[in-house]
Amino acid sequence: MTSYFVHFLFLWSLSVMGSAEPAGCKIRITDRGLDMLKYETQKFVEEELSNISMPEMKGEEGRFQYTITDVKITELNLTHADLRFIPDVGLLFDVQNSSISLTFNRRILYWFFYDTGNINASAEGVNINTALNLIRDEEGRLKINNITCDAKISKMSAKFSGTLGRVYGFLARFLTTGMRFLLNQKICPALDHAALVLVNSLLETIPVRTEVDQFIGIDYSLISDPVVTSRSLDMHFRGMFFDLSHQNISLVNYAVEPVIKEYDRMVYLALSEFFFDSGLFSYYTAGVFQMHIVNEKMPKDLEMLLRTTYFGFIMMLNPALVDAPLSLQLAVNSPPKTSIKTSGATVVMTAIVNVMVLPPGQPPVQLSSMTMETKFNAKVSMRGKRLSVHADLRRFKIFSNQSALESLALIPLQAPLKTMLQMSVVPLINNWTKRGVRIPLADGMDFIEEVVEYHNVSMHIESAFMENLSSKMH
């Protein structure tokens, strides 16, 4: 009995593992990319700490009565700062043996003497250890859900100025002890706010479910928590386009999940065939892949050839239709399919082409119906955060849907129809795709020096970062 139960659990676990949704899009940020982000992170932390507000201090020490106001951080020297990955957790920002310079005003009463002045203080041996836990939230967005912070200041010194500056210099130790305690208490709350509010607001600029154009949108929700190792942060996105008018209709992802093995570049973007297929499927369900070529849209030489080809048939139908306008109705009859190999990416598209004659004031009359098979080369490029595709017609074939004999008669139409496709349809497709689609990176982060590599069933874009994050978090 026990063996049957164990066998059942084993099969059940295999079915659960097999049912996991594959990612259509993956992004890996490596430790080299993290080095690039370290400067921006350090600058952001310095800005946040410089805005720390300190409360007014009042008290008595012997015959001295003092009031400390207008505490300001004038300089932070975070020279020994590091940003690195914490496996299975997220990020660690670590500051060791750094310094902070402060200034504040004093009002001191000693017996009958009253004195005011400025105090310059410096905190040495500043150590800050901040760990950020990264998760996928309910909306599928990357988010910091927890921060662990530990801050310590080893020592603090102060220099008095003013009339009695040298007289009560012994107060420096007392005052700086209190100031060091307060500053220690302020650092971590400031960084908590920075991470949980400001950085999360930056992460909210990463698109999750957004429109691409008037026809389709894209779903970039994370399908799992980010995978963090000592060398990288991997994010697995759904990477699925959808028809804006039928958002519940989507393509099932049966494609092989892209795999990123490299760590040499700062960032890697991997896209599966499903990523592109879902976009083509969504355009197909939106009815975009339909075209009516008539009148001035039809090349004159093609119109002349169509009239010559179908002259006999028109005369048999009705001689009065000889001078009636002709039209071509193109409609893709199934979702186009993408294939990615080491040689590049191609798209196969099949359409029905109907040749129609348009009698004035009467319903159109079909002269012929043919199948058009096309194959396009798809060149993928990246600019900033936008991924675009440029299509070039590689192969073209037409054949009749009615008889093999008519297919032979259509041979003269091959070349002019191909030219028409290159001049009219392909530019229309490229006009849709040239705007591109944004990839899931936060505002202030862009790709530069991109290298596109094609693998079997997936495509990788390797890149360096160009970033300016600190200005985006305020």
Side-chain angles (χ1 to χ4, degrees), residues 284 287-293 328-334 349-354 370-372 401 425:
Y284 172 76
V288 170
F289 296 135
Q290 299 182 27
M291 196 171 189
H292 191 197
I293 301 173
L328 289 175
Q329 294 180 353
L330 283 76
V332 174
N333 61 346
S334 62
M349 185 181 295
T350 303
I352 301 299
V353 181
N354 293 324
M370 65 188 87
T371 297
M372 178 179 69
N401 295 330
V425 179

Side-chain angles (χ1 to χ4, degrees), residues 36-334:
M36 185 70 179
L37 296 174
K38 182 173 70 174
Y39 171 74
E40 287 290 334
T41 304
Q42 180 177 332
K43 186 167 67 172
F44 171 64
V45 169
E46 288 175 350
E47 291 176 1
E48 290 304 305
L49 294 182
S50 66
N51 292 326
I52 287 178
S53 60
M54 301 285 285
E56 183 180 275
M57 293 174 59
K58 289 185 177 181
E60 296 183 7
E61 179 65 15
R63 298 186 181 277
F64 285 93
Q65 298 179 27
Y66 63 87
T67 302
I68 302 299
T69 59
D70 298 329
V71 181
K72 295 179 181 178
I73 295 177
T74 57
E75 183 181 358
L76 291 99
N77 185 15
L78 307 183
T79 51
H80 305 286
D82 188 27
L83 181 66
R84 59 182 182 269
F85 295 116
I86 310 175
D88 303 323
V89 177
L91 299 173
L92 173 68
F93 183 70
D94 188 42
V95 175
Q96 295 292 327
N97 198 27
S98 296
S99 63
I100 301 175
S101 298
L102 307 94
T103 181
F104 43 92
N105 294 328
R106 72 172 189 272
R107 294 196 302 271
I108 295 179
L109 179 64
Y110 178 69
W111 289 94
F112 301 106
F113 297 98
Y114 179 75
D115 186 46
T116 63
N118 181 263
I119 301 175
N120 294 317
S122 62
E124 304 292 337
V126 178
N127 299 318
I128 305 171
N129 188 281
T130 307
L132 308 177
N133 186 25
L134 297 173
I135 64 162
R136 167 194 179 273
D137 71 5
E138 294 179 354
E139 296 180 357
R141 190 184 300 277
L142 183 65
K143 183 179 180 181
I144 298 171
N145 79 319
N146 186 37
I147 177 171
T148 304
C149 178
D150 180 45
K152 292 181 180 178
I153 299 175
S154 299
K155 61 180 180 178
M156 195 167 188
S157 59
K159 182 179 180 181
F160 285 75
S161 64
T163 306
L164 300 177
R166 295 182 179 179
V167 176
Y168 40 67
F170 70 90
L171 276 179
R173 179 178 298 179
F174 174 78
L175 293 177
T176 54
T177 298
M179 188 63 64
R180 181 163 62 93
F181 174 79
L182 288 175
L183 191 56
N184 267 328
Q185 299 300 310
K186 289 287 184 176
I187 290 176
C188 281
L191 295 182
D192 285 355
H193 173 265
L196 296 176
V197 178
L198 299 179
V199 178
N200 275 336
S201 68
L202 176 69
L203 294 177
E204 288 177 0
T205 66
I206 300 176
V208 172
R209 193 173 176 91
T210 185
E211 292 184 6
V212 175
D213 54 30
Q214 67 267 40
F215 302 110
I216 66 172
I218 189 165
D219 185 343
Y220 275 133
S221 55
L222 287 168
I223 59 175
S224 62
D225 285 335
V227 178
V228 187
T229 69
S230 61
R231 300 182 64 188
S232 66
L233 166 68
D234 288 0
M235 293 169 285
H236 300 177
F237 299 94
R238 179 164 286 116
M240 181 189 72
F241 293 88
F242 56 88
D243 177 4
L244 291 175
S245 58
H246 303 90
Q247 297 193 24
N248 293 327
I249 301 176
S250 60
L251 186 66
V252 179
N253 187 357
Y254 295 115
V256 177
E257 185 167 326
V259 177
I260 305 174
K261 298 180 179 180
E262 298 84 1
Y263 295 89
D264 295 333
R265 300 296 294 270
M266 294 182 180
V267 60
Y268 291 87
L269 170 69
L271 304 169
S272 73
E273 291 177 341
F274 170 79
F275 178 86
F276 299 98
D277 282 346
S278 68
L280 294 168
F281 176 84
S282 300
Y283 276 129
Y284 172 76
T285 58
V288 170
F289 296 135
Q290 299 182 27
M291 196 171 189
H292 191 197
I293 301 173
V294 66
N295 298 327
E296 67 277 359
K297 293 182 179 179
M298 183 177 294
K300 295 299 181 184
D301 56 344
L302 177 60
E303 182 183 5
M304 182 66 67
L305 188 58
L306 288 173
R307 289 190 183 279
T308 302
T309 303
Y310 296 102
F311 177 79
F313 187 58
I314 293 175
M315 292 297 292
M316 291 175 60
L317 284 175
N318 185 353
L321 300 179
V322 171
D323 295 325
L326 298 179
S327 74
L328 289 175
Q329 294 180 353
L330 283 76
V332 174
N333 61 346
S334 62

